[in-house]
Amino acid sequence: MATHRPGRRIVVGVDGSECALQAVRWAAAEAVRRHLPLRLVSAYTWPSGRLVGDTGLAIDNRRIRRDAADEQLAAAARTAATVAPALEVEQMPVDGLPEQVLEAESVDAALAVLGDRGLGRLTGLLIGSVSVALATHARCPVVVIRGPEPDTAAPRTEPVVVGVDETPAGGAAVAFAFEAAALRGVPLVAVHTWQDQLIDPRMVTLLDFDAIAAREQQVLAERLAGWSEKYPDVSVRRLVVRDRAAHALMEESSAAQLLVVGSRGRGGLAGMLLGSVSRAVLHHAHCPVAVVRPPTAADDTSAPLYRPEADRSRQPGC
């Protein structure tokens, strides 16, 4: 199976909103951990043809949008500098739709980061559209910044939480989560769930729930096998619960600094690139959410992908 090429940068979607600036601060700290440069991307566009109310009096609406993108990027670069003054930062205004621009950027990225909501569809990133679209189609892991921003004056000790199942996406999430915990020097909480909602109520008294729980413990142990040897300094707490996966993960996210999930779960259909659990935690988790997809044949970059041209007069790196 083809694997994703080593990422050369961390990409952040910028739209001028406070949520985007929070994403920049998170991404700048992550870039320092991973020894990678940061690329700030602001997508701007203007529909062809006249809009209602457009007098056509020599107003260059596209240029206005470009100037706004430049201002947003400059503000984001200043924000990144408050976190990591020596970090290599590139500012990229790109003519195109945010979903398409960020998907193209994800091909060469180690990580794509964006806020959970922005200024609206025409001027920013919006959870339910850009965030979900990027988590669905990106060629690299995607982190959506949720929850309150922590106090950076104190060291972070909260764990990384990962949802573990038996799918390829679940395996990719485990790998990402171990690395994230190791980079932060914090414990990892591995959550595996099972439930009986499809069981005929008349059979409940005949089931041995202790035996089912023991079997699920074994499933979790098999999914984690080898990772503790690779990351011996990461303390792992295994949590097997009889609950809905989304509910259990959202509960754990309230005391976590990062929640990691696969892009598809065991209940996903072949054509669904983002599972119901991933969607649920993107909307309701209490901390940043990383959505990790398994590598596919498309990751060798042979498949066609929309690649908008960055503005040639882009801002230099800071």
Side-chain angles (χ1 to χ4, degrees):
M1 176 181 293
T3 58
H4 188 273
R5 291 182 296 168
R8 294 189 287 270
R9 63 185 68 89
I10 291 178
V11 172
V12 190
V14 173
D15 69 354
S17 68
E18 177 54 38
C19 286
L21 295 181
Q22 184 178 349
V24 169
R25 288 188 285 270
W26 189 97
E30 189 71 8
V32 171
R33 292 188 194 100
R34 294 174 179 265
H35 305 287
L36 292 173
L38 188 67
R39 173 177 284 184
L40 308 174
V41 178
S42 181
Y44 68 95
T45 189
W46 191 260
S48 59
R50 292 266 183 98
L51 298 179
V52 174
D54 182 2
T55 62
L57 298 177
I59 297 175
D60 187 347
N61 289 306
R62 190 177 295 277
R63 181 66 194 184
I64 292 173
R65 298 279 295 166
R66 161 61 203 275
D67 290 344
D70 285 344
E71 293 175 4
Q72 293 163 5
L73 289 168
R78 292 192 296 270
T79 297
T82 64
V83 176
L87 181 64
E88 179 185 344
V89 178
E90 184 180 16
Q91 301 176 44
M92 295 282 292
V94 184
D95 188 348
L97 296 174
E99 298 95 328
Q100 296 173 329
V101 168
L102 292 172
E103 182 185 347
E105 287 289 332
S106 74
V107 174
D108 295 324
L111 199 62
V113 184
L114 67 168
D116 68 335
R117 61 190 181 277
L119 298 177
R121 181 160 184 85
L122 283 180
T123 56
L125 309 175
L126 180 66
I127 188 70
S129 61
V130 177
S131 299
V132 171
L134 187 61
T136 302
H137 299 292
R139 303 286 180 86
C140 68
V142 173
V143 176
V144 176
I145 305 304
R146 293 191 49 79
E149 195 161 12
D151 179 7
T152 57
R156 307 274 323 256
T157 59
E158 309 98 309
V160 171
V161 174
V162 60
V164 182
D165 59 29
E166 299 138 286
T167 67
V174 169
F176 183 93
F178 264 95
E179 181 185 31
L183 287 171
R184 289 162 172 77
V186 299
L188 177 67
V189 179
V191 181
H192 179 66
T193 65
W194 63 279
Q195 56 182 326
D196 61 340
Q197 64 180 178
L198 299 181
I199 296 175
D200 187 329
R202 294 169 297 181
M203 298 181 60
V204 169
T205 57
L206 303 177
L207 295 175
D208 185 343
F209 287 108
D210 289 339
I212 295 174
R215 184 183 66 206
E216 298 302 327
Q217 288 277 5
Q218 181 60 34
V219 170
L220 178 57
E222 291 173 355
R223 297 302 287 173
L224 298 179
W227 288 107
S228 291
E229 287 76 10
K230 184 173 182 179
Y231 295 97
D233 294 332
V234 175
S235 172
V236 181
R237 178 166 70 94
R238 301 179 183 183
L239 183 60
V240 176
V241 292
R242 180 184 169 191
D243 194 1
R244 292 176 294 107
H247 180 262
L249 291 171
M250 283 186 281
E251 287 286 306
E252 290 297 318
S253 75
S254 63
Q257 62 174 286
L258 179 66
L259 172 61
V260 184
V261 294
S263 57
R264 277 189 299 186
R266 55 194 168 199
L269 299 176
M272 295 178 63
L273 297 179
L274 195 64
S276 59
V277 173
S278 305
R279 286 179 179 271
V281 298
L282 279 176
H283 286 275
H284 301 295
H286 303 288
C287 69
V289 178
V291 179
V292 185
R293 59 188 285 272
T296 67
D299 292 332
D300 63 8
T301 70
S302 61
L305 181 71
Y306 171 83
R307 299 188 66 87
E309 286 295 322
D311 194 296
R312 296 303 181 187
S313 56
R314 69 192 185 203
Q315 298 293 328
C318 299

